[in-house]
Amino acid sequence: MRGSHLPDNSTSGKNEVRLQVFLAHSGVASRRASEKIILDGRVSVNGVVVTELGTKVTNNDKILVDGNPVSLEETKRYVLLNKPLGVVCSQSDEKGRPVAVDLLREKYTERLYNVGRLDMFSHGALLFTNDGDFAAKLSHPSAEIEKEYIVESSLPLPRNLAEDFKKGIRVEGIFYKAKDAEELNSHKMRVVLVEGKNREIRRVFEDAGVAIRNLCRIRIGNVLLGELNPGEFRDLSGREVRELLSLCKN
């Protein structure tokens, strides 16, 4: 039965939290994404499907997402992955394509989800966590966290593309503006974004008539990709996590 209210005894006890907060702290998804999961009717509490965001729960309640039990995770994980080419950023893929989080499952038992995305044909730095508050803070556009990319083109770069990207370029009615862009050589550019609209770099280059041969994200805030090979990952240090959060402007 689908409903928006729980049995009277379902939220008894201490440490009640909103259901979307509980899901975020359980590593299901960020708080915002958890709200959509609830509204889509994918969550049940004590056998009742719940679609009301104000519902409060405790760790004593039986909470299922898509029929699978979830519980609060005590250990917070913050992981940097060098996402390989051909891997998608989702928890599963209906087309059967490999997903980035699967590369982490052998080491981590916690539910991890990616913070931000890289398209299937891009590679490089991608963060994963089970800390919903951390993910929400970093993902919000107001955080203005820098993401740095190295872009390699098949053809020589247009002479003023880097400068134009810094000033701002309008493509099909959407305004794209890099925080910084620098031509490294005739076929390579360094680009720093803070907003990161969907396929921003690719759209700007395509509009300039330049095909991208390779697109790699080498930095997120203070976190560097470093010497990680494609498919390799590492835990962030406590200092890296603190500094990353301190860079958020929200």
Side-chain angles (χ1 to χ4, degrees), residues 93-192:
D93 185 71
E94 60 184 16
K95 297 181 181 179
R97 296 172 296 186
V99 296
V101 72
D102 283 347
L103 298 171
L104 310 177
R105 295 194 194 280
E106 186 173 334
K107 178 176 179 180
Y108 302 100
T109 58
E110 296 86 1
R111 287 172 173 259
L112 300 178
Y113 49 92
N114 45 286
V115 183
R117 305 174 70 86
L118 280 173
D119 68 50
M120 182 176 178
F121 303 106
S122 302
H123 63 108
L126 183 65
L127 294 177
F128 285 82
T129 189
N130 60 345
D131 184 340
D133 292 334
F134 173 84
K137 192 170 183 66
L138 260 65
S139 299
H140 199 278
S142 64
E144 297 187 8
I145 292 293
E146 291 185 357
K147 289 97 173 175
E148 184 173 349
Y149 304 80
I150 298 297
V151 190
E152 298 179 51
S153 61
S154 301
L155 298 174
L157 296 168
R159 176 172 297 177
N160 297 318
L161 182 57
E163 287 301 315
D164 290 343
F165 203 173
K166 285 194 291 185
K167 294 175 183 176
I169 298 173
R170 190 170 296 279
V171 180
E172 295 181 355
I174 301 176
F175 188 69
Y176 300 106
K177 186 176 187 296
K179 182 173 183 180
D180 193 20
E182 176 189 9
E183 185 176 313
L184 301 178
N185 61 42
S186 62
H187 290 71
K188 184 182 292 187
M189 185 186 297
R190 182 182 66 87
V191 178
V192 178

Side-chain angles (χ1 to χ4, degrees), residues 56-73:
K56 291 189 175 181
V57 297
T58 75
N59 202 33
N60 295 324
D61 292 308
K62 184 178 180 181
I63 300 170
L64 305 180
V65 176
D66 297 330
N68 300 311
V70 298
S71 59
L72 293 176
E73 294 179 346

Side-chain angles (χ1 to χ4, degrees), residues 17 21-27 58-59 70-74 76:
V17 297
V21 175
F22 183 96
L23 296 181
H25 289 177
S26 300
T58 75
N59 202 33
V70 298
S71 59
L72 293 176
E73 294 179 346
E74 296 181 2
K76 298 301 181 186

